[in-house]
Amino acid sequence: MELQTVDADSECPECFESVRLEAVMQHEIVQCAGCGIDLEVIELDPVSLELAPEEEEDWGE
Amino acid sequence: MELQTVDADSECPECFESVRLEAVMQHEIVQCAGCGIDLEVIELDPVSLELAPEEEEDWGE
Amino acid sequence: MAETSPDNSGEQLVIKAGGGKALDLEAIAADVGSLWRAGRRVVLVHGGAETTNEVAEQLGHPPQFVTSESGYSSRRTDRRTLEIFEMVYCGLLNKRWVELLQRQGVAAVGLSGLDGRLFEGRRKDKLRIRRGGRRMVLRDDWTGTVEKVNGELLRLLLGGGYLPVLTPPGASFDGEAVNVDGDRAAAALATALGAPTLVYLSATPGLLADFPDEDSLIPRFEVARDALSGAAPDAGLEPLSAAAEDRMKKKVLGAAEALRGGAGRIIFADGRAERPVRAALDGAGTHVVVRPGPREEAR
Amino acid sequence: MAETSPDNSGEQLVIKAGGGKALDLEAIAADVGSLWRAGRRVVLVHGGAETTNEVAEQLGHPPQFVTSESGYSSRRTDRRTLEIFEMVYCGLLNKRWVELLQRQGVAAVGLSGLDGRLFEGRRKDKLRIRRGGRRMVLRDDWTGTVEKVNGELLRLLLGGGYLPVLTPPGASFDGEAVNVDGDRAAAALATALGAPTLVYLSATPGLLADFPDEDSLIPRFEVARDALSGAAPDAGLEPLSAAAEDRMKKKVLGAAEALRGGAGRIIFADGRAERPVRAALDGAGTHVVVRPGPREEAR
């Protein structure tokens, strides 16, 4: 089952600049062109964006 | 796979009377007609008999 | 309710939670957690037969049950079955219980009877069984009895403020893992710890005079201490084991053993109830108690 | 052989045995047994990745591996995977180790990091990963760090004469079971116990300068204590982690952590060898030691 992707325009929750999303998946991390912060695509329909969680030093298991 | 059974004559290891075995399986318990003791069919080909292990009070798991 | 339990929080309590999937583990863990936080020292023993059957099927090694010559049904435990048994009892379920208790703030420590030889006994590598009208000797079996309990390790953990969560298998005297009966292990445990109360939780209100009619609950059964010392394994509790259906029979044998070992009260209670342990301590279920005989000093 | 180990039997020894099926568990258990009988206090940590992959396949939930943004590969641990992980690590393998040791007469006690919160840390329920050229946030993950070790429970068991046999998972601060890295847990354990020596056994002679050429074994690597306190997780051991291939990288990070925590000697040795632990203590494998700096009092 090919994961759903979406093209959409949204708004950066940090700097409120508009954000152009192309073929993004749910939970994908995108960077805001305006302020450069990492955003997470929480929902696809309608598209919603939130600050992506911090990158943690992660050794993996 | 149907388990193999055998007819044979053997000898009781306890009282040395002959023991008639009919359609017995490996590890089957048979009783010696002579002394009444429980015997185990250890091997089928050739047939070999030994005293059957004691019956243990067994609650099962 | 026959009696309300004094909050003798110092007293040791052994709980055996059956393996049935009908039991609400979360509710039992919450109840045990509140008893533990109130200072009650508890040891929990759990089962896992039903889940083991499912996983054995999924792994292509379906469970086989054999009937022993004396009529008891038991799981055919070849080495592969023993390993699946360990994966479910010691891996999946033991850590599920420990996790549920830890999330209640309880310092739970999960161990099998093999660890530190908590449950130790004789391996019965040969079983006499009935199969299709034949009497057979079954070899390469990994089942065993529980003849010794490592009370010292349990007291070490209890003294350290931990709640031991125990599960089969046990250990043979040679240190091999062996499938042991959890109900019987719980009885031996109660004896080793001198626990006055042993609670069996399962998916039924208690011992039923007329199984499966749940209204035929036997609320109380008193037995004279010396009636317990008869030869039969269920000496003194014959009416109860007569009424009990298969799996419950083993719990009645466990009860007889625990009472012989000095326990004063065995409760068969409903593991599906709200706060099942509290309810049992407050009188719910079947209470099997020793009638203090003339020689009996106050327990 | 660089040095022969004084038979400092009083000293605490932590052994991490890798999960590879190439390891001869029986030989390692026999070796550990002889050390234990000679009075050496030992804690064993074991893995189980390879077997977990096989059982996950058989149960129709094949393992998925994700690459974290910083490039480390790790097991996607959804709840179902965590339960299969527990069945293999805590059920099958932990009890296999305990059984092998018990049959050697060793008083082994098997525990996971969840039990008594032996390994406790933060659950990382969100992971940033790379998948097919995309950066993604992975939710509902049950992995965690090891930030605290319950040294008190370990000392209780060691004092009681038991040999703890430990395995992931660990516990989150909320008491949830979390998949933790066994190599890193072993390092935290060595630090908590103040163990001077940590031995990593795996299916390779030790750290290889030119992987996979087994003749390129690095016999010894000395590091100055203050070089260890750099910012990078492998501070002081950069040449080793550069040479180490994937799984070994984590062991080098573990070594750096253990050395920072006060261990004096980390040995990467061949778990397939005859008496692998003795051989390692007698100089076999790669010995990573702290060069006593000017301020360094005698360890």
Side-chain angles (χ1 to χ4, degrees):
Chain A
M1 151 289 233
E2 185 39 51
L3 286 175
Q4 196 206 350
T5 64
V6 141
D7 298 336
D9 284 302
S10 185
E11 192 188 76
C12 171
E14 182 75 3
C15 70
F16 309 109
E17 291 270 330
S18 78
V19 177
R20 176 70 194 133
L21 300 171
E22 268 145 24
V24 292
M25 281 185 192
Q26 194 182 16
H27 297 309
E28 186 168 350
I29 299 173
V30 294
Q31 206 171 18
C32 165
C35 64
I37 201 158
D38 279 344
L39 301 172
E40 179 188 350
V41 179
I42 300 294
E43 293 298 335
L44 287 181
D45 181 18
V47 163
S48 76
L49 294 176
E50 277 175 18
L51 295 188
E54 278 309 308
E55 205 227 312
E56 286 185 34
E57 169 267 302
D58 155 47
W59 285 18
E61 268 61 51
Chain B
M1 142 283 216
E2 185 39 51
L3 285 176
Q4 197 204 351
T5 64
V6 140
D7 298 337
D9 285 302
S10 186
E11 191 187 78
C12 171
E14 182 74 6
C15 72
F16 308 109
E17 291 269 332
S18 80
V19 177
R20 175 71 195 137
L21 301 173
E22 268 143 26
V24 292
M25 283 186 191
Q26 193 181 17
H27 296 309
E28 185 167 350
I29 299 172
V30 294
Q31 205 173 20
C32 165
C35 64
I37 202 158
D38 279 345
L39 302 171
E40 178 189 351
V41 180
I42 300 293
E43 294 298 335
L44 285 181
D45 183 18
V47 162
S48 76
L49 294 176
E50 277 175 16
L51 295 188
E54 279 308 308
E55 205 226 310
E56 286 186 35
E57 168 267 302
D58 156 48
W59 286 17
E61 270 60 51
Chain C
M1 301 290 178
E3 49 173 347
T4 44
S5 80
D7 188 9
N8 34 31
S9 59
E11 264 187 23
Q12 187 68 61
L13 175 62
V14 174
I15 302 170
K16 166 68 177 22
K21 301 190 82 170
L23 257 57
D24 180 346
L25 270 57
E26 194 128 12
I28 297 173
D31 201 14
V32 169
S34 78
L35 281 165
W36 186 76
R37 276 190 301 277
R40 194 71 188 261
R41 301 224 290 187
V42 181
V43 179
L44 177 69
V45 182
H46 69 80
E50 213 176 321
T51 311
T52 300
N53 296 346
E54 287 165 13
V55 173
E57 298 276 355
Q58 288 161 14
L59 290 176
H61 193 75
Q64 283 183 315
F65 289 89
V66 291
T67 310
S68 73
E69 221 170 351
S70 39
Y72 287 105
S73 111
S74 72
R75 178 188 301 275
R76 162 66 170 133
T77 312
D78 55 21
R79 186 67 196 184
R80 177 91 177 101
T81 301
L82 179 70
E83 291 185 344
I84 294 170
F85 181 97
E86 287 174 329
M87 290 206 291
V88 175
Y89 278 74
C90 309
L92 181 62
L93 296 176
N94 189 256
K95 300 321 167 193
R96 180 176 291 170
W97 276 108
V98 171
E99 184 180 35
L100 285 170
L101 288 165
Q102 287 281 0
R103 289 166 73 164
Q104 297 276 335
V106 176
V109 171
L111 295 155
S112 78
L114 180 61
D115 299 301
R117 301 194 184 209
L118 277 167
F119 300 144
E120 189 178 22
R122 222 170 2 81
R123 176 179 166 198
K124 301 181 293 188
D125 59 353
K126 295 181 292 299
L127 279 184
R128 289 176 58 144
I129 64 165
R130 290 183 189 287
R131 181 184 288 157
R134 296 173 189 264
R135 290 189 306 154
M136 309 282 290
V137 176
L138 193 69
R139 291 186 180 280
D140 178 36
D141 207 61
W142 294 78
T143 48
T145 65
V146 177
E147 285 162 27
K148 265 178 70 184
V149 172
N150 186 346
E152 179 235 339
L153 175 54
L154 288 171
R155 277 182 286 276
L156 196 66
L157 293 169
L158 289 163
Y162 296 99
L163 191 155
V165 178
L166 308 183
T167 177
S172 74
F173 290 120
D174 300 333
E176 299 153 315
V178 284
N179 174 0
V180 296
D181 179 84
D183 296 324
R184 200 168 169 188
L189 182 64
T191 302
L193 291 177
T197 303
L198 165 61
V199 178
Y200 282 111
L201 293 179
S202 42
T204 172
L207 289 178
L208 307 178
D210 180 17
F211 180 83
D213 172 8
E214 297 210 347
D215 300 332
S216 71
L217 177 69
I218 304 167
R220 187 175 177 82
F221 184 89
E222 279 193 14
V223 55
R225 181 158 292 289
D226 34 36
L228 289 168
S229 44
D234 59 350
L237 305 186
E238 290 85 350
L240 295 181
S241 58
E245 43 72 43
D246 189 38
R247 277 200 68 80
M248 272 308 217
K249 268 199 202 312
K250 274 184 234 163
K251 294 186 198 295
V252 171
L253 298 184
E257 194 152 295
L259 291 171
R260 269 196 297 276
R265 181 170 60 151
I266 315 294
I267 309 174
F268 296 85
D270 197 334
R272 302 163 300 180
E274 260 294 299
R275 320 204 58 173
V277 183
R278 288 255 178 202
L281 294 176
D282 288 348
T286 303
H287 286 234
V288 181
V289 291
V290 178
R291 194 168 46 241
R295 289 167 291 101
E296 181 83 21
E297 78 289 4
R299 245 199 98 63
Chain D
M1 301 290 181
E3 52 172 344
T4 43
S5 81
D7 187 6
N8 34 31
S9 58
E11 263 188 24
Q12 186 67 62
L13 176 62
V14 174
I15 302 170
K16 166 68 175 28
K21 301 189 82 171
L23 256 57
D24 179 346
L25 270 56
E26 195 128 10
I28 297 172
D31 200 15
V32 169
S34 77
L35 281 166
W36 186 77
R37 278 192 299 279
R40 194 71 187 260
R41 299 224 289 187
V42 181
V43 179
L44 178 68
V45 182
H46 68 81
E50 212 176 322
T51 311
T52 301
N53 296 345
E54 287 165 12
V55 174
E57 298 275 357
Q58 288 161 15
L59 290 175
H61 193 75
Q64 284 183 315
F65 290 89
V66 291
T67 311
S68 73
E69 220 169 352
S70 41
Y72 287 103
S73 109
S74 72
R75 180 188 301 275
R76 162 67 169 133
T77 312
D78 54 21
R79 186 68 196 183
R80 177 89 178 103
T81 300
L82 178 70
E83 291 185 344
I84 294 171
F85 181 98
E86 286 174 329
M87 288 188 353
V88 174
Y89 279 72
C90 309
L92 180 64
L93 296 177
N94 189 257
K95 300 322 168 194
R96 180 177 292 171
W97 278 107
V98 170
E99 184 181 38
L100 285 170
L101 287 164
Q102 287 280 1
R103 290 167 72 165
Q104 298 277 335
V106 176
V109 172
L111 295 156
S112 77
L114 181 60
D115 298 302
R117 301 193 183 211
L118 277 167
F119 301 143
E120 190 178 23
R122 216 168 9 78
R123 175 179 167 198
K124 303 181 293 187
D125 59 354
K126 294 182 291 302
L127 280 183
R128 289 176 56 144
I129 62 165
R130 289 183 188 286
R131 181 184 290 158
R134 296 173 189 262
R135 292 189 306 154
M136 308 283 291
V137 176
L138 192 67
R139 290 185 181 280
D140 178 36
D141 207 60
W142 293 79
T143 48
T145 65
V146 177
E147 285 161 28
K148 265 177 71 186
V149 171
N150 186 346
E152 177 235 340
L153 175 54
L154 287 171
R155 277 183 287 276
L156 195 66
L157 292 169
L158 289 164
Y162 295 98
L163 190 154
V165 179
L166 307 184
T167 177
S172 74
F173 290 119
D174 300 332
E176 300 153 314
V178 284
N179 175 0
V180 296
D181 179 270
D183 296 324
R184 201 168 170 188
L189 181 64
T191 303
L193 291 177
T197 304
L198 164 61
V199 178
Y200 281 113
L201 294 178
S202 43
T204 171
L207 290 178
L208 307 179
D210 180 16
F211 182 82
D213 171 7
E214 298 211 345
D215 299 333
S216 70
L217 176 69
I218 305 167
R220 189 175 175 81
F221 184 90
E222 278 193 13
V223 55
R225 183 159 289 290
D226 34 39
L228 289 168
S229 44
D234 60 348
L237 306 187
E238 289 85 350
L240 294 182
S241 57
E245 43 70 45
D246 189 38
R247 277 197 69 81
M248 273 310 222
K249 268 197 201 314
K250 276 186 237 162
K251 294 186 198 295
V252 173
L253 297 184
E257 194 152 294
L259 291 171
R260 270 197 296 277
R265 181 172 59 152
I266 317 292
I267 309 174
F268 296 85
D270 196 334
R272 301 164 302 182
E274 259 294 295
R275 321 205 57 174
V277 184
R278 289 258 178 202
L281 294 176
D282 288 350
T286 304
H287 286 234
V288 181
V289 291
V290 178
R291 196 170 42 240
R295 287 170 289 99
E296 180 82 21
E297 80 287 8
R299 239 191 106 56

mmCIF file of all heavy atoms in Angstrom, chain D residues 61-80:
data_model
loop_
_atom_site.group_PDB
_atom_site.id
_atom_site.type_symbol
_atom_site.label_atom_id
_atom_site.label_comp_id
_atom_site.label_asym_id
_atom_site.label_seq_id
_atom_site.Cartn_x
_atom_site.Cartn_y
_atom_site.Cartn_z
ATOM 1 N N HIS D 61 5.793 -10.956 12.224
ATOM 2 C CA HIS D 61 6.003 -9.524 12.524
ATOM 3 C C HIS D 61 7.484 -9.237 12.291
ATOM 4 O O HIS D 61 8.238 -8.950 13.228
ATOM 5 C CB HIS D 61 5.607 -9.216 13.978
ATOM 6 C CG HIS D 61 5.495 -7.742 14.269
ATOM 7 N ND1 HIS D 61 4.426 -6.977 13.841
ATOM 8 C CD2 HIS D 61 6.309 -6.897 14.936
ATOM 9 C CE1 HIS D 61 4.583 -5.732 14.245
ATOM 10 N NE2 HIS D 61 5.737 -5.647 14.911
ATOM 11 N N PRO D 62 7.926 -9.348 11.009
ATOM 12 C CA PRO D 62 9.363 -9.279 10.733
ATOM 13 C C PRO D 62 9.990 -8.005 11.266
ATOM 14 O O PRO D 62 9.321 -6.959 11.347
ATOM 15 C CB PRO D 62 9.436 -9.335 9.198
ATOM 16 C CG PRO D 62 8.060 -9.137 8.697
ATOM 17 C CD PRO D 62 7.120 -9.491 9.795
ATOM 18 N N PRO D 63 11.270 -8.118 11.663
ATOM 19 C CA PRO D 63 11.927 -6.940 12.256
ATOM 20 C C PRO D 63 12.081 -5.828 11.232
ATOM 21 O O PRO D 63 12.274 -6.087 10.045
ATOM 22 C CB PRO D 63 13.297 -7.473 12.675
ATOM 23 C CG PRO D 63 13.549 -8.662 11.809
ATOM 24 C CD PRO D 63 12.205 -9.249 11.507
ATOM 25 N N GLN D 64 11.937 -4.611 11.677
ATOM 26 C CA GLN D 64 12.204 -3.442 10.828
ATOM 27 C C GLN D 64 13.342 -2.660 11.473
ATOM 28 O O GLN D 64 13.348 -2.485 12.694
ATOM 29 C CB GLN D 64 10.980 -2.531 10.790
ATOM 30 C CG GLN D 64 9.846 -3.016 9.913
ATOM 31 C CD GLN D 64 8.732 -1.974 9.919
ATOM 32 O OE1 GLN D 64 8.376 -1.463 10.982
ATOM 33 N NE2 GLN D 64 8.237 -1.618 8.747
ATOM 34 N N PHE D 65 14.292 -2.238 10.646
ATOM 35 C CA PHE D 65 15.386 -1.444 11.210
ATOM 36 C C PHE D 65 15.307 -0.040 10.638
ATOM 37 O O PHE D 65 14.962 0.149 9.463
ATOM 38 C CB PHE D 65 16.740 -2.113 10.912
ATOM 39 C CG PHE D 65 16.899 -3.382 11.709
ATOM 40 C CD1 PHE D 65 16.454 -4.600 11.214
ATOM 41 C CD2 PHE D 65 17.417 -3.333 13.003
ATOM 42 C CE1 PHE D 65 16.550 -5.762 11.978
ATOM 43 C CE2 PHE D 65 17.524 -4.494 13.775
ATOM 44 C CZ PHE D 65 17.084 -5.707 13.261
ATOM 45 N N VAL D 66 15.529 0.934 11.485
ATOM 46 C CA VAL D 66 15.476 2.324 11.034
ATOM 47 C C VAL D 66 16.851 2.946 11.283
ATOM 48 O O VAL D 66 17.590 2.492 12.158
ATOM 49 C CB VAL D 66 14.391 3.124 11.806
ATOM 50 C CG1 VAL D 66 12.997 2.641 11.412
ATOM 51 C CG2 VAL D 66 14.602 3.018 13.307
ATOM 52 N N THR D 67 17.160 3.933 10.457
ATOM 53 C CA THR D 67 18.437 4.636 10.644
ATOM 54 C C THR D 67 18.141 5.989 11.253
ATOM 55 O O THR D 67 17.366 6.774 10.686
ATOM 56 C CB THR D 67 19.131 4.809 9.272
ATOM 57 O OG1 THR D 67 19.129 3.539 8.626
ATOM 58 C CG2 THR D 67 20.554 5.328 9.437
ATOM 59 N N SER D 68 18.709 6.206 12.417
ATOM 60 C CA SER D 68 18.434 7.493 13.075
ATOM 61 C C SER D 68 19.117 8.603 12.283
ATOM 62 O O SER D 68 20.023 8.345 11.485
ATOM 63 C CB SER D 68 18.997 7.470 14.501
ATOM 64 O OG SER D 68 20.425 7.560 14.413
ATOM 65 N N GLU D 69 18.660 9.805 12.518
ATOM 66 C CA GLU D 69 19.193 10.938 11.744
ATOM 67 C C GLU D 69 20.720 10.997 11.879
ATOM 68 O O GLU D 69 21.434 11.295 10.946
ATOM 69 C CB GLU D 69 18.565 12.236 12.252
ATOM 70 C CG GLU D 69 18.234 13.186 11.104
ATOM 71 C CD GLU D 69 17.379 14.366 11.568
ATOM 72 O OE1 GLU D 69 16.927 14.378 12.726
ATOM 73 O OE2 GLU D 69 17.179 15.267 10.753
ATOM 74 N N SER D 70 21.215 10.611 13.072
ATOM 75 C CA SER D 70 22.678 10.690 13.259
ATOM 76 C C SER D 70 23.366 9.445 12.690
ATOM 77 O O SER D 70 24.541 9.217 12.952
ATOM 78 C CB SER D 70 22.983 10.838 14.761
ATOM 79 O OG SER D 70 22.128 10.002 15.507
ATOM 80 N N GLY D 71 22.590 8.583 11.980
ATOM 81 C CA GLY D 71 23.231 7.511 11.217
ATOM 82 C C GLY D 71 23.290 6.163 11.913
ATOM 83 O O GLY D 71 23.809 5.193 11.391
ATOM 84 N N TYR D 72 22.762 6.083 13.162
ATOM 85 C CA TYR D 72 22.810 4.776 13.836
ATOM 86 C C TYR D 72 21.605 3.943 13.451
ATOM 87 O O TYR D 72 20.490 4.454 13.412
ATOM 88 C CB TYR D 72 22.823 4.962 15.359
ATOM 89 C CG TYR D 72 24.148 5.474 15.855
ATOM 90 C CD1 TYR D 72 24.310 6.809 16.205
ATOM 91 C CD2 TYR D 72 25.259 4.629 15.908
ATOM 92 C CE1 TYR D 72 25.533 7.283 16.610
ATOM 93 C CE2 TYR D 72 26.490 5.111 16.325
ATOM 94 C CZ TYR D 72 26.631 6.434 16.680
ATOM 95 O OH TYR D 72 27.831 6.908 17.085
ATOM 96 N N SER D 73 21.847 2.682 13.187
ATOM 97 C CA SER D 73 20.695 1.823 12.835
ATOM 98 C C SER D 73 20.140 1.229 14.121
ATOM 99 O O SER D 73 20.889 0.900 15.046
ATOM 100 C CB SER D 73 21.152 0.705 11.889
ATOM 101 O OG SER D 73 21.126 -0.517 12.590
ATOM 102 N N SER D 74 18.824 1.174 14.217
ATOM 103 C CA SER D 74 18.249 0.567 15.442
ATOM 104 C C SER D 74 16.955 -0.147 15.066
ATOM 105 O O SER D 74 16.391 0.070 13.986
ATOM 106 C CB SER D 74 17.947 1.661 16.476
ATOM 107 O OG SER D 74 16.827 2.411 16.053
ATOM 108 N N ARG D 75 16.525 -0.993 15.960
ATOM 109 C CA ARG D 75 15.347 -1.823 15.709
ATOM 110 C C ARG D 75 14.094 -0.978 15.919
ATOM 111 O O ARG D 75 13.940 -0.344 16.961
ATOM 112 C CB ARG D 75 15.339 -2.984 16.724
ATOM 113 C CG ARG D 75 14.158 -3.939 16.598
ATOM 114 C CD ARG D 75 14.158 -4.935 17.772
ATOM 115 N NE ARG D 75 15.401 -5.705 17.802
ATOM 116 C CZ ARG D 75 15.597 -6.800 17.087
ATOM 117 N NH1 ARG D 75 14.650 -7.220 16.282
ATOM 118 N NH2 ARG D 75 16.743 -7.456 17.155
ATOM 119 N N ARG D 76 13.215 -0.915 14.927
ATOM 120 C CA ARG D 76 11.930 -0.239 15.100
ATOM 121 C C ARG D 76 11.199 -1.025 16.183
ATOM 122 O O ARG D 76 10.896 -2.208 16.029
ATOM 123 C CB ARG D 76 11.169 -0.296 13.774
ATOM 124 C CG ARG D 76 9.657 -0.037 13.873
ATOM 125 C CD ARG D 76 9.349 1.377 14.276
ATOM 126 N NE ARG D 76 7.933 1.715 14.129
ATOM 127 C CZ ARG D 76 7.249 2.342 15.074
ATOM 128 N NH1 ARG D 76 7.811 2.641 16.230
ATOM 129 N NH2 ARG D 76 5.989 2.662 14.860
ATOM 130 N N THR D 77 10.928 -0.393 17.310
ATOM 131 C CA THR D 77 10.341 -1.139 18.434
ATOM 132 C C THR D 77 8.935 -0.655 18.729
ATOM 133 O O THR D 77 8.715 0.149 19.633
ATOM 134 C CB THR D 77 11.245 -0.992 19.684
ATOM 135 O OG1 THR D 77 12.602 -1.245 19.306
ATOM 136 C CG2 THR D 77 10.853 -1.985 20.764
ATOM 137 N N ASP D 78 7.966 -1.159 17.914
ATOM 138 C CA ASP D 78 6.579 -0.873 18.289
ATOM 139 C C ASP D 78 6.203 -1.858 19.416
ATOM 140 O O ASP D 78 7.006 -2.723 19.795
ATOM 141 C CB ASP D 78 5.641 -1.019 17.082
ATOM 142 C CG ASP D 78 5.787 -2.395 16.424
ATOM 143 O OD1 ASP D 78 6.274 -3.336 17.106
ATOM 144 O OD2 ASP D 78 5.463 -2.538 15.244
ATOM 145 N N ARG D 79 4.993 -1.735 19.951
ATOM 146 C CA ARG D 79 4.640 -2.526 21.130
ATOM 147 C C ARG D 79 4.768 -4.028 20.851
ATOM 148 O O ARG D 79 5.265 -4.797 21.665
ATOM 149 C CB ARG D 79 3.204 -2.187 21.582
ATOM 150 C CG ARG D 79 2.784 -2.841 22.887
ATOM 151 C CD ARG D 79 3.512 -2.317 24.100
ATOM 152 N NE ARG D 79 3.362 -3.199 25.260
ATOM 153 C CZ ARG D 79 3.858 -2.922 26.469
ATOM 154 N NH1 ARG D 79 4.514 -1.794 26.683
ATOM 155 N NH2 ARG D 79 3.713 -3.756 27.471
ATOM 156 N N ARG D 80 4.293 -4.466 19.647
ATOM 157 C CA ARG D 80 4.341 -5.899 19.310
ATOM 158 C C ARG D 80 5.804 -6.372 19.267
ATOM 159 O O ARG D 80 6.134 -7.443 19.783
ATOM 160 C CB ARG D 80 3.656 -6.103 17.944
ATOM 161 C CG ARG D 80 3.687 -7.541 17.422
ATOM 162 C CD ARG D 80 2.459 -8.346 17.916
ATOM 163 N NE ARG D 80 2.473 -9.720 17.375
ATOM 164 C CZ ARG D 80 2.831 -10.804 18.109
ATOM 165 N NH1 ARG D 80 3.221 -10.663 19.388
ATOM 166 N NH2 ARG D 80 2.799 -11.993 17.566
#
